[in-house]
Amino acid sequence: MDLPKPNAAAAALQPYLAGLTPSQRSVVDHRGGPLLVNAGPGSGKTTVVTHRIASLIAEGVAPWRILGLTFTNKAAQEMRGRVEALLEHAGLTVDGVLLCTFHSFGARLMRTLPDDFGVPARFVILDAADQKSAIKQAIRAANLDPKSFTPASIGSAISAAKNQLKDAEAYESEAVDFLTRAVAKTYHEYEARLKTQEAVDFDDLLMRPAMAMRDQPALRARLTQRWTHLLIDEYQDTNFAQFLVADLLVSEARNVTVVGDPDQSIYGWRGANIGNILEFETRYPDAKVIPLGENFRSTKTIVSAADALIRHNEQRKPKDLVAANDVGNRVRIRRLEDERAEAQDVVDRLKEMERSGTAWSEMAVLYRMNALSRVFEEVLRREGVPYIVAKGTSFFERKEVRDAVGYLRLLANPRDEVALERVVNMPPRGIGSTSWSRVVGEARACNEPVWEVMQSPSRIEGVSARAAKAIEAFVEMIQNWRSALGQTGGLDDLSHELSDVVQRVIDESGLAAHYARGGTEEDHDRVENLDELVSAAADFPGVISEFPGLIEDGEEDFEGDVQSLEAHLFGWLESISLVADSDQVDPTRGVLTLMSLHASKGLEFEEVVVAGCEESVLPHLRSIGDDDAIEEERRLLFVGMTRAKKNLTLTSAKSRPVRGFRERTMESQFLSEIPNELVERWEANETESADPFLQSGSPSSLRSSRGPSGRRLASLFPVGCLVEHEQFGVGRVEAIMPRPTGTTARIDFRYDGVKTIILEYAKLERLE
């Protein structure tokens, strides 16, 4: 293990550590053994991680011994830039330090040592859309009804299994009913298709490294000798596979620093396990724990409001949140008549702030459900406000770009059947659906890859001579492109060569001419997007996708980054397939940002609005009655609130359409957990409103001021009494919770289990 030693470089770095707080400095100065940094929002997580890495290098740790893992490319790039800037002051470089996402790390390991991970060296990575297509194929191959078994449900089950390190055989061994056996059958078919296409999915990038390191001691020994210092950002978001990778990597040196905040664990729905951070000290009894509670981002009022909210959670590590900034304005809580009044009120406020000097790029509207963006977009367009939907169609998800990337993926790996099916007749070249089904059928019958069968199309029964000729021309075109991939060079030269290849593919495939023929404004935009793809290839800086010298001990040589154009293409395709939602947000663009609360983590804006703060929206309907889920929903609002630097607004609508019918809503229970002295409340006057809900003749008694009070309702349905609900049947009241926004009751129903319902809305009948 490398032990840092004081030297001139470390001394030169000291002035740049002087601005750290005592808690931050203790993180940077920690030497040896596990370290947990319990870092609140805006407390300088990136600062302590980057300063710690720079300090380790300045004190003698070889850069290539350091591995930093995070969750977005943007975070990894920012860390690298900061470390590089710090090391320049000490006369050192960042070369050799690996800062990347968990998925990128897994991909590079698998490319370096493919035999150890059971993959071909030049595997392709299916993105979400292509994975969906592959699962559709697997569902058909498993002879299942696609109406009963959707790609989304099957894909979710397979993803959950992989995150728990269960391959198809392991999952099948545990299948006990019709549903799980159907999933197991599809899982096998899906894996067979991935193998045939020499492809992996996102979950494989975590599962395969975790299983290989767990089951192969020799491999684990090589990796633990290579990286002796591991730093993990956003540790609260790790799932089981990520936890195991990290745990095995530090099994020898034990120099692991994890930075995270249990209060910001909001990805349980995709496998994140909050227990990884809550139980860190159980796993590492000798761990040092350093809380970072001082917030440098938000005002004192915003921090106090968020702190008061999150203290209602039980699954957390207590820390005192304090703000370094001024008191600032109170949190604005606005209750509007309906979703359109809500959107108009928000837009009016943001326009006022823009006139006062706040840039559009410093404003964001956040919401629990993406569907809530529609009305906001309508109002923003009408008001002429520039905006971007961060969860909208990103550049690489646009049809014309996906078509071009499909060709490039096929160029990299002709066995990629998902890409092949997408582009084989795009633009149309005479290979119709009937001919293509014959080709695929022949491949399945012969148990050969589709690409191999396409080499001799004339021998396939049912394929016309015209279609066979078109297939031959298509195959020849791909093979001609592939002949250019063997050349080698430095990364700068290869970026130029790659852009030439992309341009050639777009031109010779016929895509450019196909879209240019349309002549509409949309077609013009598509052609421009194809041009932009060429520019994106030219801008790709390149990465050495393998780890030279991984198996052999000794210092790495990071000079002369030379590789093949094929490897450069793989690196580029990999980089665009591993893009997170928040990576789409460009703070330099002068536009307002609309985005989900989940996508907002890690970002910050001067002006933040969290819309739709209503029961069954935030918290989401699926969480009602589940204490753990309610806590995650509360953490989600906590994350949204702490994105705000200066001003925070929380809005709700008194009525909102649900599946075509307008329904009354209750204000979110979370809003009542924010102390009154920290908020400025405003509610629309119902009697002066032209509320379409009230005008429609719908039963306004659901929220009538003449209805029973919360105290009266609590006395009507005391704890222990037996009640009947028109939907859930008979149940017994377990708890009554009066709130300023309505009284809720937790009821254990005989057949539907425990539910939390709002008494003002529920049609309950007391039975005893």
Side-chain angles (χ1 to χ4, degrees), residues 365 367 370-374 376-378 380-381 386-395 397-398 581 584-585 589 591-596 599:
V365 178
Y367 32 75
N370 286 306
L372 267 62
S373 75
R374 180 184 62 83
F376 279 95
E377 290 190 70
E378 290 178 3
L380 289 167
R381 286 196 297 268
Y387 73 92
I388 183 174
V389 182
K391 185 58 177 175
T393 303
S394 71
F395 177 77
E397 291 175 339
R398 292 166 182 159
D581 295 339
Q584 300 176 27
V585 179
R589 297 185 64 178
V591 297
L592 166 74
T593 299
L594 301 181
M595 68 193 313
S596 72

Side-chain angles (χ1 to χ4, degrees), residues 335-339 369 614-617 621 652-667 686 691-694 696 698-700 702-703 726-727 758 761:
R335 185 145 175 82
L336 288 304
E337 283 302 325
D338 58 28
E339 73 284 357
M369 301 184 298
E614 303 144 20
E615 291 293 305
S616 298
V617 177
L621 177 64
S652 64
K654 293 181 179 180
S655 73
R656 194 178 294 277
V658 179
R659 291 182 294 276
F661 296 93
R662 183 163 294 278
E663 295 185 0
R664 278 295 195 178
T665 73
M666 288 289 291
E667 192 177 66
E686 190 170 26
D691 188 336
F693 180 82
L694 296 179
S696 68
S698 300
S700 60
L702 288 178
R703 189 188 170 106
E726 63 179 8
Q727 178 181 350
I758 303 169
Y761 289 5

